[in-house]
Each structure stands twice: as C-alpha cells, then as structure tokens.
Amino acid sequence: MAGIKLENLIKSYGDTRILHGIDADIADGEMIVVVGPSGCGKSTLLRMVAGLEAVTAGRILIGERVVNDLEPSQRDIAMVFQNYALYPHMTVRQNMAYGLKIRGMSRAEIARRVDEAADILELRPYLDRKPRQLSGGQRQRVAMGRAIVRHPQVFLFDEPLSNLDAKLRVQMRLEIRKLQRRLGVTSIYVTHDQVEAMTLGDRLMVLNKGVVEQFGSPIELYERP
Ligand code: ADP
Ligand code: ADP
C-alpha cells in the first residue's frame, strides 16, 4: 500500500502554463476527488500521475518512489476511463484477463484474480458475454474489474461515470466508493460533477485554472464555501 505525494507539480504546453504548482499529500487508502470546471487541468493532472503526460517541473511520489521518469506500466497504477475501453470482440473474462496476460502472468494466477474480481463486482454470470450483451452499469463494472485484477497500489478514475444515465450514475458512485473502501486502494477521482465530488471524496481538491483553490474534507469545504 502507498500514499501519493505531489510536490509543486507544474505543467506547461509551450509557453502556456496549465498547472501552476500543485501540492498534495494523499494518505495510504485515501480517496481524493479533483473537481473543477472543464479545462481547469484535472485530466492533465491525472495523466501525469499515470505517466501518460510528462511533468514539466515538480515531483510525483507513489509510496517512497519518485515516479516522474517511470513508464506507466512501472507505476503500479490502474486507470478507469469514461469510455470503458473494453475490447468488443473479447468476452468479459478475456477483457479482464488481457492486461495480466500481456504482462506474462501465469494462467492459474490470472484465472484466480479474474474470479476474485468477478465475485467482488458480481460479474460471475456474465463472464462469457461480450460487452455489447451487457448493460451500461455492467460494462462499467467490467472496466473496474480490469483495474482490480492488477492489484494496483493506486486507482485513477477519469470521469468514469459520465456516460451513464443519472440513476445509474448514483448507483455506480456508491458501488465505487464501497469498493474503494473495501480494497483500501489509494485513489484519485476526477470529475466536473460537484455532487459526485462531495459524495465520493475523503477530501476534495478544488481546481480552477490550474490552481488549487481549496483542499479539504467535504464538511470543511461546506462550512467554509
Ligand atoms: P480538464 O480535464 O479539467 O477539462 P484538461 O486537463 O483536459 O482539463 O486541460 C487543461 C488545459 O490544458 C485546457 O486548456 C486544454 O486546452 C489544455 N491542453 C490539454 N492538453 C493539451 C495539449 N496536448 N496541448 C496543449 N494544450 C493542452
Ligand atoms: P493495459 O492497459 O492492458 O494494462 P498497457 O501496458 O498497454 O496494458 O497499459 C499501458 C498503460 O495504460 C498502463 O500501464 C496504465 O498506466 C495505463 N492504463 C490505463 N488503464 C488502464 C487500465 N484499466 N488498466 C490498466 N492500465 C491502464
């Protein structure tokens, strides 16, 4: 298990500075939600932690390790996106197994992890179906399953529920929170939805134009708007 530290994290594209020195100390097992209007830099921040975007200046630590120069696959993270990124021609089982298979994990261990994730997510009955034979909520669960089987130190969520209808969004939000608590995986969750942020986060990072405006628990922020 590992916390995450962001130290004076800066991102520029050419002369344009997108993130102006972000600091955060995220505890082991904590879930923080980064919330703010479109274009404020949420995705960029998350992609830097994932290693999908280079850091201009500052440091990112996962546990004791500075990960700035590590490839995504070496960072011990799993990311969940809004578009699920499921492979349409593969079954649910194959979708969950794929990331482990390409990493050379044994068949027995893969089967064990997929079954474990399927139990946690109540996907057992659907393991042999293709994504198109699933509902939106079930697809989102498979996307979660692909992250869980990796047994990562960190989950990164990039607006994972924004393609779902309102009712399902509320249900999946609760499921994600329950799951995150149960697994105790340190998490960063990005959303532009304030209600989602208030419900999900141990703490909220309110980002505006690349600057942290507020960082605290929902209650702290509510009492000091
Ligand atoms: P958010 O996720 O909060 O909507 P983003 O992190 O996607 O915001 O984008 C933050 C800002 O960075 C936006 O103004 C966007 O236009 C800009 N940006 C994102 N990616 C690039 C890029 N590859 N080159 C130049 N500017 C970019
Ligand atoms: P996979 O995406 O199947 O794990 P890759 O090694 O090609 O296989 O992934 C490249 C990187 O993409 C990962 O190391 C990780 O940083 C990021 N990634 C994104 N999403 C996921 C996800 N659901 N599971 C895994 N990795 C993801």
Side-chain angles (χ1 to χ4, degrees), residues 8 13 15 19 21 27 35 50 97 103-104 108-110 120 133 163 172 179 182 185 188 192 195 218 222:
N8 197 18
Y13 289 110
D15 293 336
L19 292 170
V35 63
R103 285 176 170 75
E109 178 62 11
I110 292 175
I120 291 173
Q133 300 170 299
N163 280 345
M172 290 307 298
L179 186 70
R182 170 166 170 191
V185 179
I188 304 178
H192 65 272
V195 177
Y222 184 72

Side-chain angles (χ1 to χ4, degrees), residues 33-37 40 42 189 191-194 197 204-207:
V33 177
V34 181
V35 63
C40 72
K42 304 181 295 294
Y189 189 109
T191 182
H192 65 272
D193 182 334
Q194 303 227 9
L204 273 55
M205 176 187 282
V206 181
L207 207 58

Side-chain angles (χ1 to χ4, degrees), residues 204-219:
L204 273 55
M205 176 187 282
V206 181
L207 207 58
N208 197 5
K209 296 180 181 153
V211 175
V212 177
E213 285 198 327
Q214 293 182 297
F215 194 19
S217 71
I219 288 174

